[in-house]
Amino acid sequence: MLSYLALLLLITLRGIHATCGIDRRHVVRSFNPHRNASSETTPLQVGNGNFAFGVDVTGLQTFSPFATMSTWGWHNFSLPTTNGQTSVDDFTGLDWWTHGRLVNYNQPNPAESEISNWLIQNPQRVNLATIGLSFGDDDVTEEKLENRSQTLDLWTGQISSAFTYSGAPVEVETWADSSSDTIGIAVESELLATGSLSIFFDFPLPTRNKFDAPFVGVFNATDQHITSLEAGENSATIRHDIDATSYHVTVAWDSSAGILGPLDGTHRYILKPSQGVKKIKLSVAFSPTPSTDAPSFARIATTSTAWWESFWRSGAFIDLTGANCPNATELQRRTILSQYLTAVNSASSYPPQGLVNNGWYGKFHLEMILWHLLHFARWNQFALLRRSVPNTYSTYLESSIERANFQGYDGARWGKMTDPSGRSAPGEINSLLIWQQPHPFYFAEIEYRSFPSESTLKSWDEILTATADFMVSYAFFNQSTKYYDLGPPMYPASENTSPNATINPAFELAYWRFGLDVAIKWKERQNLPAPEKWTKVRDNLAPLPIVEDAFAVYEGIPNMWENTTVQDHPAMSAIFGLLPPPYSGPPLNVTVARNTADKIRDLWDLKDCWGWDFPMLAMNSLRLGDIDQAVAYLLNPLFEFDDAGYPVGGSRVPTPYFPGSSSFLLAMAMMAGGWDGEPGPHFPEGWDVRVEGFMPGL
């Protein structure tokens, strides 16, 4: 322990020397996004992790109805009325043979299609409102606006937008409060004074679409939901009722104005300044219950400025601006913009899915929680990580124990596609995927590295104990081989194999050992005995499958390194990338790991990869000492980021796909801080790079 602390002190001292004089504000603002037209797929956003407001080029949602989303805004459609399918308790799932016994899995049952589909599609996240500029009776399109200009100031969280219409300049400021679901808007123009410009509020209906992108909800089903207005002197509250869901939008303004609506056949309301008013400032607060204490525009701007400056000045930082190289400049751009966007979209009280649009009905995925959130720890932004972890696991622990018990296992079996209720949506892949199970051990170990305290140990102990109990209970002792097997039935991370044929996938086996190693170590740190079975299963897990001197997707896979075996997520690269070498058992065969990386580089269908695949491959390359290949993966043309830094989803998933942002930051942290045995920066030779605040990874 003493030598490790000495190492950290050395790294800290080296970091102080290397980073003296970094002008963080200059670096950050060098990458402020600028637009002169709206994007077809992504807004510019203001937000705080639990709430976000996306805008088009006008600074509002005038022409492109981008979303206003929060972590609390969810809606359920009415339950089916078919006899025997009117309650979630009517859902029975499906039984599969699993090692000689029938196990019930949370999968759609053809005999219960309506309640099965209801559980998949509900709840879905709500677009709380659309707010934009109204030009009265004029038929105005974005193309009719002249001199369009828009900038997002990353240092303060302010969007400044300007354009000219009918010869009159219009300026708009957009902010989000740092601690509430409130936006601040300022609009200035002569058009306000003449009655030619006003502000509208409109309310869409949620849909049952799996993917609602780039826009969420529909505006042409006005008879299926209700809005009502309660107006005061300089404020108003609009209530929105959708089935059993209701919430409130409180608007307060500083100038003489009146609000009316809804307009005929719509749920649109108009805030119209009085004659002669050239500038209006307003705050718009969203809440599940009525609110009368919405912060003012001035307070919103002040708190946003303070919060973002604190965010950028705290935590770790990478300065690549001295490298004078196009690749370094692009990595810096992606790094800065990804930090902003993940703080807006992922630093939430629930596992994140992003607050731009709805993918998978807006539900979050527990196998993706590591890719979404781990970078906050590696960038020393633990306050943002702790908004949801370990609380998420504590909240879902009871339902996960019930899930495992119902299937005849010990401990807690974490779900996959879930929502605030903790219920896991029915699905064959959803119910048979297992690589989310060891994630708590990775989070816990990373936190303990920075905070090696009794408090950290206690905060995770119940979660890790229940997780390990399930993992050893799930492993099946094979009487023929005398090893403990994983599966079948199961899906590996690639999700593209036959579940009844999939046994002992390489990455999952390595991750199982990692998790049990941490579980045992966690007990030892508390001077507590680890259950004997934990050690027995860990020490007798099946060996990692190898084909042609490289790791295979799973044991016995036909035609490995051909056809569909080289598609989807190349998770074997994570065995020596995301994961460190094993802490116990046979040492990692680095030759096999290198052969695997070579085969993936040469044979894998990278056109079928997306999001976190490329950073995962980059981390593998870093551990193998190939820094140039790591950079090549991070800048692969198939791994795109748009002009505002959003990761492009591609044909498989909607844009933006935020695991691309967060996993990119995870790889950059590894490049900046190194890992056990290789601490410190790992950038291409000749690059002038300065870093600070990073601790070596595992």
Side-chain angles (χ1 to χ4, degrees):
M1 183 67 177
L2 185 60
S3 61
Y4 185 70
L5 291 174
L7 173 63
L8 293 183
L9 178 60
L10 175 62
I11 294 166
T12 301
L13 292 174
R14 288 171 57 188
I16 291 172
H17 174 74
T19 62
C20 182
I22 288 182
D23 187 346
R24 291 192 178 198
R25 178 163 53 188
H26 174 74
V27 175
V28 170
R29 280 185 160 161
S30 297
F31 297 93
N32 283 348
H34 303 275
R35 284 179 170 174
N36 55 25
S38 301
S39 166
E40 294 182 357
T41 55
T42 60
L44 294 187
Q45 282 179 297
V46 292
N48 56 34
N50 281 307
F51 170 81
F53 181 74
V55 306
D56 64 20
V57 75
T58 67
L60 298 173
Q61 299 155 333
T62 306
F63 302 110
S64 301
F66 291 117
T68 307
M69 286 189 157
S70 73
T71 52
W72 53 260
W74 296 81
H75 162 261
N76 285 307
F77 283 102
S78 298
L79 284 158
T81 57
T82 301
N83 189 39
Q85 299 188 60
T86 60
S87 166
V88 295
D89 295 330
D90 292 332
F91 174 77
T92 60
L94 291 176
D95 292 340
W96 283 46
W97 284 104
T98 304
H99 296 298
R101 65 187 181 93
L102 282 174
V103 173
N104 185 265
Y105 292 94
N106 191 24
Q107 297 179 8
N109 189 328
E112 303 162 353
S113 60
E114 291 185 43
I115 191 63
S116 295
N117 287 332
W118 189 93
L119 286 166
I120 294 170
Q121 297 169 352
N122 290 273
Q124 62 287 135
R125 215 169 30 183
V126 175
N127 179 2
L128 298 173
T130 297
I131 305 173
L133 297 174
S134 174
F135 296 86
D137 295 331
D138 290 357
D139 182 17
V140 180
T141 61
E142 183 174 315
E143 290 70 26
K144 292 184 179 180
L145 306 185
E146 299 176 330
N147 305 317
R148 298 185 302 263
S149 178
Q150 184 176 61
T151 300
L152 166 59
D153 182 4
L154 301 167
W155 192 259
T156 63
Q158 176 193 23
I159 298 175
S160 301
S161 309
F163 59 88
T164 301
Y165 175 67
S166 192
V170 179
E171 295 182 357
V172 179
E173 288 182 44
T174 316
W175 302 81
D177 189 37
S178 61
S179 58
S180 70
D181 300 344
T182 310
I183 56 171
I185 301 168
V187 182
E188 183 173 10
S189 176
E190 289 284 350
L191 297 175
L192 293 173
T194 62
S196 301
L197 188 66
S198 53
I199 301 168
F200 73 76
F201 304 83
D202 209 343
F203 296 83
L205 179 75
T207 74
R208 293 179 174 86
N209 297 331
K210 181 178 181 180
F211 297 116
D212 249 5
F215 311 124
V216 180
V218 294
F219 294 87
N220 60 355
T222 55
D223 60 335
Q224 297 181 40
H225 54 128
I226 300 169
T227 56
S228 56
L229 173 68
E230 183 178 330
E233 184 175 349
N234 276 81
S235 66
T237 297
I238 303 170
R239 172 172 169 151
H240 191 196
D241 290 278
I242 321 166
D243 299 314
T245 299
S246 66
Y247 60 91
H248 302 258
V249 180
T250 301
V251 187
W253 54 90
D254 70 339
S255 302
S256 178
I259 189 167
L260 57 88
L263 303 184
D264 289 345
T266 75
H267 289 292
R268 177 169 288 204
Y269 296 79
I270 302 293
L271 177 65
K272 192 176 184 67
S274 300
Q275 200 77 12
V277 173
K278 298 179 182 180
K279 184 171 185 177
I280 187 168
K281 297 178 181 178
L282 57 148
S283 63
V284 186
F286 300 82
S287 60
T289 57
S291 174
T292 58
D293 58 349
S296 66
F297 173 88
R299 178 184 153 194
I300 292 168
T302 299
T303 59
S304 175
T305 299
W307 192 92
W308 280 107
E309 181 168 353
S310 174
F311 169 80
W312 290 114
R313 292 199 183 280
S314 63
F317 200 81
I318 299 174
D319 179 8
L320 296 166
T321 58
N324 194 27
C325 163
N327 282 352
T329 300
E330 178 58 14
L331 288 177
Q332 183 78 79
R333 184 186 79 90
R334 295 184 182 192
T335 297
I336 295 298
L337 293 175
S338 294
Q339 286 177 271
Y340 179 86
L341 289 171
T342 55
V344 168
N345 287 277
S346 303
S348 62
S349 54
Y350 286 120
Q353 177 66 274
L355 297 169
V356 173
N357 52 43
N358 268 354
W360 296 274
Y361 314 99
K363 297 183 180 184
F364 28 83
H365 294 232
L366 290 187
E367 86 278 16
M368 298 310 302
I369 189 173
L370 190 86
W371 291 121
H372 273 294
L373 293 175
L374 186 62
H375 75 281
F376 286 129
R378 296 289 286 112
W379 284 77
N380 199 19
Q381 294 283 1
F382 278 94
L384 300 185
L385 176 64
R386 286 176 178 144
R387 290 181 179 183
S388 58
V389 172
N391 294 341
T392 290
Y393 289 110
S394 298
T395 301
Y396 294 162
L397 183 59
E398 182 178 354
S399 62
S400 298
I401 290 173
E402 291 173 356
R403 181 180 300 113
N405 182 260
F406 185 68
Q407 294 183 327
Y409 296 113
D410 298 332
R413 182 170 195 168
W414 307 109
K416 180 189 183 294
M417 178 173 148
T418 188
D419 59 70
S421 73
R423 188 172 59 222
S424 190
E428 186 173 295
I429 292 174
N430 293 355
S431 63
L432 296 176
L433 204 71
I434 67 168
W435 69 283
Q436 70 271 35
Q437 303 306 324
H439 285 346
F441 297 105
Y442 209 121
F443 281 119
E445 192 67 6
I446 285 289
E447 182 173 349
Y448 188 78
R449 173 156 297 199
S450 292
F451 304 96
S453 66
E454 195 69 25
S455 175
T456 301
L457 292 170
K458 288 182 178 179
S459 69
W460 282 98
D461 188 63
E462 184 180 18
I463 296 165
L464 300 190
T465 299
T467 304
D469 283 343
F470 168 76
M471 289 168 60
V472 300
S473 179
Y474 177 86
F476 179 78
F477 186 68
N478 187 321
Q479 292 288 350
S480 299
T481 64
K482 306 303 181 185
Y483 288 122
Y484 283 93
D485 292 338
L486 302 183
M490 64 156 295
Y491 277 101
S494 59
E495 300 183 3
N496 66 347
T497 64
S498 170
N500 279 319
T502 303
I503 184 172
N504 293 328
F507 168 62
E508 282 77 1
L509 277 170
Y511 207 11
W512 231 249
R513 175 176 290 277
F514 169 85
L516 293 177
D517 275 335
V518 174
I520 293 167
K521 190 186 305 183
W522 211 259
K523 294 299 184 185
E524 292 172 349
R525 288 167 176 159
Q526 300 175 84
N527 296 314
L528 297 173
E532 183 179 335
K533 190 167 185 184
W534 291 7
T535 305
K536 182 178 181 182
V537 171
R538 181 200 65 180
D539 292 346
N540 293 280
L541 282 170
L544 305 189
I546 295 173
V547 173
E548 297 180 14
D549 294 322
F551 295 125
V553 174
Y554 67 85
E555 180 183 307
I557 185 172
N559 306 312
M560 184 63 212
W561 303 111
E562 299 176 16
N563 305 322
T564 59
T565 68
V566 292
Q567 292 180 332
D568 220 292
H569 304 302
M572 303 94 72
S573 66
I575 294 170
F576 190 52
L578 175 68
L579 298 184
Y583 300 137
S584 67
L588 178 77
N589 189 324
V590 178
T591 299
V592 172
R594 191 176 301 279
N595 292 343
T596 306
D598 291 344
K599 282 184 174 292
I600 291 173
R601 183 195 62 223
D602 297 337
L603 301 175
W604 208 268
D605 183 7
L606 292 181
K607 295 188 299 296
D608 198 52
C609 294
W610 72 94
W612 48 276
D613 291 336
F614 294 95
M616 177 174 66
L617 291 167
M619 289 189 284
N620 179 223
S621 298
L622 286 171
R623 285 201 195 263
L624 291 169
D626 195 341
I627 296 172
D628 290 336
Q629 182 61 60
V631 171
Y633 278 131
L634 291 177
L635 296 177
N636 189 292
L638 297 169
F639 187 42
E640 298 179 79
F641 289 72
D642 75 4
D643 65 308
Y646 292 96
V648 176
S651 60
R652 298 283 297 273
V653 292
T655 297
Y657 183 62
F658 280 115
S661 301
S662 42
S663 60
F664 172 84
L665 290 174
L666 195 57
M668 291 301 295
M670 190 173 185
M671 197 175 287
W675 54 93
D676 286 347
E678 290 283 346
H682 291 67
F683 289 96
E685 187 175 352
W687 284 21
D688 180 8
V689 181
R690 297 183 291 175
V691 304
E692 61 185 12
F694 289 97
M695 183 174 284
L698 302 181

